[in-house]
């Protein structure tokens, strides 16, 4: 891992391959390693940049106010990239949207994999998930909170653990734990995204959704695809919320095709 450290904070990142830059932004229950199985195929044609958001993976939690789109801007300036293709998963997808709204001239294309929608009217199942996580953390049972998140975001509501690829839960356990330990600090200091209408996004956009994902996120993905002009929706039948973990080969194929045309 490489480190960008300045007066504004600390970000850990890695760069693989050569070519036009592609930035991969991880989900809010993961870190940069969630992209491990996707990077080799992309690095054959592109410079692939991955980093840990603040308070995730190896990036330090914030010590004061910060903005995730500004952090991405800092990283690109540090690496000398004026414009990039952005790929974001879950919360990383929303970071990518916010960056595209704040810095439209720096984005060549946008890929959003199961991003959240600000202010969405969540279903009873999502509310129950949030309450279960909150109760576990309030009881000081971090292991239980980790399990709640693995059940929701890795296994998903539509399959049993026997249907999840061996080893994925253990790979994700430490990143989930880190995110939970730091989430209050991150939430305290995070500044809101830019005001803007996603209908103003004018770059080629791909929206991906796993058909084993939470129904809320399937509906949200379709909303993004409908409201961003010209966006394409791609469904991954064998994936839940974390497409890069469940279907890396299918995702790599879809990304290579989309990025080559954008």
């Amino acid at each position: 891992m490489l480190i960008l450290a300045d007066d504004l904070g600390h970000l850990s990142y890695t760069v693989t391959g050569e070519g036009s830059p592609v930035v991969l932004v991880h989900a809010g229950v993961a870190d940069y390693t969630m992209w491990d199985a996707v990077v080799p195929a992309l690095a054959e044609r592109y410079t692939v940049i991955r980093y840990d958001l603040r308070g995730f993976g190896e990036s330090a939690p914030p010590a004061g106010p910060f903005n995730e789109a500004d952090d991405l801007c800092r990283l690109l300036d540090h690496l000398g990239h004026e414009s990039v293709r952005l790929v974001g998963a879950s919360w990383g997808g929303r970071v990518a949207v916010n960056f595209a709204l704040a810095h439209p001239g720096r984005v060549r294309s946008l890929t959003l994999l199961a991003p959240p929608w600000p202010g969405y009217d969540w279903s009873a199942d999502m509310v129950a998930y949030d309450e279960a996580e909150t109760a576990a953390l309030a009881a000081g049972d971090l292991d239980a909170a980790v399990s709640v998140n693995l059940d929701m975001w890795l296994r998903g509501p539509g399959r049993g653990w026997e249907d999840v690829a061996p080893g994925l839960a253990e790979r994700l356990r430490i990143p989930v734990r880190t995110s939970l330990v730091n989430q209050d600090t991150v939430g305290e200091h995070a500044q809101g995204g830019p005001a803007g209408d996603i209908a103003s996004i004018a770059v080629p956009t791909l929206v991906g959704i796993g058909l084993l994902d939470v129904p809320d996120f399937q509906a949200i993905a379709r909303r993004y695809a409908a409201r961003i002009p010209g966006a394409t929706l791609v469904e991954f039948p064998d994936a839940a919320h974390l497409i890069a973990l469940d279907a890396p080969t299918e995702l790599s194929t879809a990304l290579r095709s989309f990025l080559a045309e954008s």
Side-chain angles (χ1 to χ4, degrees):
M1 289 291 286
L2 303 170
I3 297 174
L4 166 58
D6 56 26
D7 292 341
L8 297 177
H10 166 290
L11 293 175
S12 295
Y13 69 94
T14 184
V15 180
T16 309
E18 296 183 359
S20 299
V22 175
V23 179
L24 308 179
V25 191
H26 65 78
V29 290
D31 59 20
Y32 88 101
T33 64
M34 73 168 286
W35 304 106
D36 282 354
V38 174
V39 168
L42 297 182
E44 293 176 2
R45 300 182 184 180
Y46 303 99
T47 296
V48 182
I49 301 160
R50 296 180 286 166
Y51 71 106
D52 286 332
L53 297 166
R54 294 224 221 168
F56 295 84
E58 308 218 8
S59 288
F66 78 104
N67 181 288
E68 286 164 323
D70 290 346
D71 277 351
L72 179 51
C73 195
R74 286 172 51 223
L75 179 60
L76 298 187
D77 289 345
H78 173 71
L79 294 173
H81 297 304
E82 179 58 31
S83 64
V84 298
R85 297 170 171 89
L86 271 181
V87 181
S90 191
W91 179 249
R94 192 62 214 185
V95 173
V97 168
N98 289 344
F99 184 86
L101 292 172
H103 306 282
R106 304 196 69 169
V107 179
R108 292 184 58 179
S109 71
L110 196 58
T111 300
L112 309 174
L113 305 173
W117 187 279
Y120 189 77
D121 185 14
W122 298 109
S123 68
D125 286 344
M126 282 292 294
V127 172
Y129 147 76
D130 183 65
E131 290 175 345
E133 180 197 274
T134 299
L137 292 174
D141 194 341
L142 188 56
D143 289 339
V146 169
S147 293
V148 167
N149 279 275
L150 290 175
D151 281 339
M152 176 63 75
W153 304 122
L154 180 57
R155 178 175 60 82
R159 61 181 177 178
W161 278 110
E162 68 277 6
D163 299 316
V164 178
L168 286 186
E170 289 312 305
R171 276 183 55 194
L172 200 58
R173 193 172 299 278
I174 291 176
V176 172
R177 189 179 186 90
T178 300
S179 72
L180 290 170
V181 167
N182 292 328
Q183 72 175 3
D184 285 347
T185 301
V186 172
E188 176 186 353
H189 294 301
Q191 304 297 295
D197 185 352
I198 62 170
S200 69
I201 294 174
V203 296
T205 300
L206 176 71
V207 180
I209 188 63
L211 295 185
L212 301 177
D213 199 355
V214 180
D216 300 59
F217 276 89
Q218 296 192 45
I220 289 171
R222 290 177 172 81
R223 181 181 292 187
Y224 274 103
R227 297 197 185 182
I228 297 176
T232 299
L233 179 69
V234 176
E235 298 175 343
F236 296 86
D238 299 321
H241 191 66
L242 301 174
I243 300 168
L245 295 181
D246 276 332
T249 300
E250 295 84 350
L251 177 59
S252 297
T253 299
L255 283 175
R256 282 171 59 115
S257 177
F258 172 69
L259 295 175
E261 297 173 357
S262 62

